[in-house]
Amino acid sequence: MNNKDLHLREMRETAGKTIEDVADSLGVSKATVSNWEREPKSMSIDKLNAYVNACGYQLQDAITFKSRVMNQWDIPVNGELSVLRSGLIADVQGLAAKQPNFIKQAVLVNKNAYDMISGEFKTRLVFTRKPRVAIIGQSDVGKSTLINDMLGSNVMPARWTPTTTLVVRIVHSEEKPAWLKGNTIVVKTSVAEALPETYQLRDEKYFNSHVEAEGDQSLLTSWAIRESVQDEAEFVTAKIHIDPAQDKDSRYTMYTYQDAPILKSIEVWDTPGFAADGEAELGQAEDAQALYAQSNADVVVFMSIANGFMHDTDLSLLRPIVTRMDSTMDYKDGLPAWHNLFVVASQAQSVKPADQLPVILNNGAVRFANTIKDRWMDRNGQYTLPELRSRFFTFSIDDTSLSSKFIEALKQTIVIAQKQTLSKERDGVIKSFYFARENIIKKFADSYQQALGTRTIAEKKYQQALEDQPKAEAAIRKSMDKMRIDVDFHSRNSKREYN
């Protein structure tokens, strides 16, 4: 291994750690860590291993990190949509900051207006959110490898399987809560709750009540079950944070915030492998989380290893996914049938000779078509086998030529999806938002100010009454004194007249 080719600083920053974090963990000075990052060739294998462990990685990750650091996927950001989304987030946060005043004032009309506008904005936030791309498939098909290639860095640790109740959502660091020091959190919700929306985690009250753990990249390992368990002790240590058998009433979602360019346009969801451990109970919990990801994703990337592509298990897993997918945008704005489905043959470089890959994809498409032909094929000349075949792709970390069609097709889908959000077809929804923002909010603010004005007038009258009270009391005393004098006078006169 040639240490000089390592990208230690980039690996540390991807892990969300500072030089001071690593120095404190290893018991060395910050200058020492800085020197290692500038001159990794000066490090012994033991020091290098300690460094990468302090960053939450393993030694193999440091070796493979160099091959990906320059290979980042990039999808153009829709500027108008980005501005709209930022405005919505600012409005929601602004309203939330004023909520205590509304409750304090106990003005029912204002509170109802607050609830209505806050709900309107949150609905729009969900509507304008970044497309969610879920990476789905059986365990060990290369989901983490694909994600790391998309991000241009080893975000997802090698040789691990997500825990049975965990979906990992990878979002851009610009959406990280301001108070979060690290870059990774674990969110706990009850089974009765909806799983969190990304914007909710920027609400400090929600954050504090739902975040189970927070830290850096190392959480991705400590909240995971490793693929190759060395012994029972390692299994227990890796699994200690979550035990689905003991916590059936909760669901856990991991968020990690990264700077990859592609995350400015999408969220990437890494899902649990279906029934990865072969245990019925854990497999069911795992499948439930994968099902949630499928149902709430905007784009599904279904992975199957090229050698053994799309056979019985994969076919049975993919069929329900397709039946639940949103097809309303198919054939619109240049999008094809099944526009949000990508069936990917991973590790494509392992197929020899390479000209067998088209045959493998064709056969896989035919087998899958046979499982859905009763409901989803050949509908009025649409959803044909050739169209389905066009949604089948290859991917390889070692040969980029085998990935280019998949990457370009995914980019095109996301770019068009962003435009559709602001398209004329949905223009009425956006207009209603702008109307709400420009009119209802103004009326709400005016109503609130009027209530404050009314209260201010009442307070002034009350204060004036307090100031006038001594004068009023003096006048009353004077009046009563006069009354007593008058009573005494009349009493004396009455006695004289009687006598």
Side-chain angles (χ1 to χ4, degrees):
M1 179 177 65
N2 192 343
N3 285 15
K4 70 178 182 179
D5 294 329
L6 300 178
H7 297 265
L8 299 185
R9 180 177 62 81
E10 290 89 342
M11 186 170 67
R12 171 178 57 76
E13 290 174 349
T14 298
K17 287 184 176 287
T18 64
I19 287 181
E20 185 175 7
D21 292 334
V22 175
D24 290 345
S25 177
L26 299 178
V28 300
S29 68
K30 292 189 289 185
T32 296
V33 175
S34 180
N35 289 336
W36 286 346
E37 292 181 348
R38 283 198 307 270
E39 296 290 337
K41 64 182 179 181
S42 66
M43 301 174 70
S44 67
I45 191 67
D46 290 339
K47 289 179 179 178
L48 178 61
N49 189 50
Y51 176 95
V52 298
N53 288 342
C55 292
Y57 293 109
Q58 298 180 22
L59 188 59
Q60 182 65 25
D61 298 321
I63 299 171
T64 58
F65 194 93
K66 58 176 181 163
S67 66
R68 297 187 180 119
V69 73
M70 300 303 294
N71 183 31
Q72 295 180 332
W73 298 21
D74 194 3
I75 297 177
V77 178
N78 187 301
E80 184 179 357
L81 187 58
S82 180
V83 169
L84 176 59
R85 188 184 298 119
S86 298
L88 281 165
I89 291 173
D91 286 333
V92 169
Q93 292 175 335
L95 282 172
K98 295 175 181 175
Q99 185 182 19
N101 287 331
F102 304 143
I103 296 174
K104 182 178 179 181
Q105 297 302 325
V107 181
L108 183 60
V109 173
N110 282 344
K111 187 178 185 306
N112 289 342
Y114 171 83
D115 292 340
M116 179 184 68
I117 299 306
S118 179
E120 177 80 6
F121 280 0
K122 289 175 181 178
T123 299
R124 297 295 171 263
L125 268 175
V126 173
F127 175 77
T128 61
R129 59 173 166 70
K130 297 175 183 177
R132 299 161 164 177
V133 179
I135 314 300
I136 296 174
Q138 297 187 70
S139 297
D140 307 326
V141 295
K143 296 192 298 291
S144 295
T145 299
L146 170 61
I147 291 171
N148 287 337
D149 194 58
M150 295 171 74
L151 304 179
S153 60
N154 289 38
V155 171
M156 306 306 294
R159 299 177 303 282
W160 75 293
T161 299
T163 170
T164 55
T165 56
L166 214 62
V167 169
V168 182
R169 302 187 192 181
I170 309 168
V171 300
H172 198 271
S173 57
E174 66 187 4
E175 301 190 59
K176 184 175 78 168
W179 54 86
L180 179 61
K181 294 181 179 180
N183 70 342
T184 305
I185 57 177
V186 178
V187 184
K188 179 180 179 179
T189 51
S190 71
V191 292
E193 288 182 278
L195 290 180
E197 294 286 346
T198 299
Y199 77 85
Q200 289 180 292
L201 294 167
R202 295 167 76 172
D203 178 339
E204 195 162 5
K205 183 178 179 181
Y206 182 92
F207 183 97
N208 291 335
S209 64
H210 287 80
V211 172
E212 182 80 0
E214 57 181 292
D216 53 39
Q217 200 85 2
S218 61
L219 282 179
L220 289 168
T221 300
S222 64
W223 284 72
I225 298 174
R226 298 176 186 271
E227 293 176 357
S228 54
V229 178
Q230 299 296 325
D231 53 40
E232 186 65 22
E234 181 181 0
F235 179 82
V236 172
T237 299
K239 192 182 170 185
I240 192 169
H241 293 292
I242 302 176
D243 185 353
Q246 300 299 321
D247 194 7
K248 296 178 181 179
D249 296 329
S250 300
R251 294 183 295 190
Y252 295 84
T253 306
M254 179 171 283
Y255 272 83
T256 183
Y257 299 89
Q258 303 292 332
D259 286 323
I262 194 173
L263 296 177
K264 290 186 176 183
S265 301
I266 65 173
E267 284 188 11
V268 177
W269 290 12
D270 187 18
T271 66
F274 288 89
D277 298 294
E279 299 181 32
E281 184 174 17
L282 297 186
Q284 289 172 4
E286 189 170 65
D287 291 351
Q289 283 295 85
L291 176 61
Y292 173 85
Q294 299 162 21
S295 302
N296 290 271
D298 301 296
V299 173
V300 168
V301 176
F302 186 89
M303 301 187 70
S304 175
I305 296 177
N307 281 320
F309 183 65
M310 294 302 294
H311 286 289
D312 292 346
T313 301
D314 288 328
L315 296 176
S316 63
L317 293 175
L318 184 55
R319 176 185 167 88
I321 294 175
V322 170
T323 60
R324 285 189 295 267
M325 292 183 71
D326 182 8
S327 61
T328 57
M329 292 296 111
D330 287 350
Y331 298 106
K332 296 179 181 178
D333 297 327
L335 290 176
W338 297 291
H339 74 280
N340 44 1
L341 172 67
F342 296 82
V343 184
V344 178
S346 61
Q347 303 176 24
Q349 78 285 350
S350 64
V351 174
K352 304 295 182 185
D355 59 10
Q356 287 300 304
L357 283 170
V359 177
I360 289 173
L361 295 183
N362 287 337
N363 291 341
V366 169
R367 282 192 294 272
F368 183 61
N370 288 332
T371 70
I372 62 172
K373 63 182 180 180
D374 55 332
R375 292 182 56 193
W376 296 98
M377 296 293 296
D378 296 320
R379 290 178 282 167
N380 299 319
Q382 296 181 332
Y383 296 94
T384 63
L385 177 59
E387 288 176 315
L388 179 63
R389 167 62 180 85
S390 72
R391 310 313 299 159
F392 282 57
F393 304 88
T394 57
F395 173 76
S396 169
I397 190 67
D398 299 319
D399 186 348
T400 56
S401 67
L402 297 176
S403 307
S404 58
K405 289 183 179 179
F406 165 50
I407 294 173
E408 288 306 312
L410 180 61
K411 286 182 179 181
Q412 181 188 30
T413 295
I414 299 301
V415 168
I416 295 177
Q418 290 175 335
K419 291 179 180 178
Q420 285 178 340
T421 303
L422 297 170
S423 68
K424 293 181 180 179
E425 183 171 343
R426 299 186 177 183
D427 191 43
V429 178
I430 300 299
K431 280 185 176 179
S432 72
F433 156 69
Y434 280 120
F435 176 82
R437 188 175 183 184
E438 299 300 326
N439 294 279
I440 302 177
I441 282 290
K442 184 178 184 302
K443 291 179 181 179
F444 172 52
D446 290 345
S447 174
Y448 179 61
Q449 290 300 324
Q450 183 179 1
L452 287 181
T454 301
R455 180 185 177 185
T456 301
I457 293 172
E459 287 178 342
K460 287 181 178 180
K461 288 182 178 180
Y462 177 69
Q463 186 63 37
Q464 187 63 49
L466 290 178
E467 293 174 359
D468 292 343
Q469 184 176 352
K471 296 179 181 179
E473 289 176 348
I476 291 172
R477 284 196 297 271
K478 184 177 179 179
S479 177
M480 291 184 69
D481 289 343
K482 185 176 182 302
M483 288 176 64
R484 281 195 294 270
I485 293 172
D486 290 342
V487 169
D488 290 343
F489 174 77
H490 288 295
S491 177
R492 288 194 296 271
N493 288 341
S494 296
K495 287 179 180 180
R496 288 193 196 102
E497 291 175 1
Y498 178 78
N499 292 329

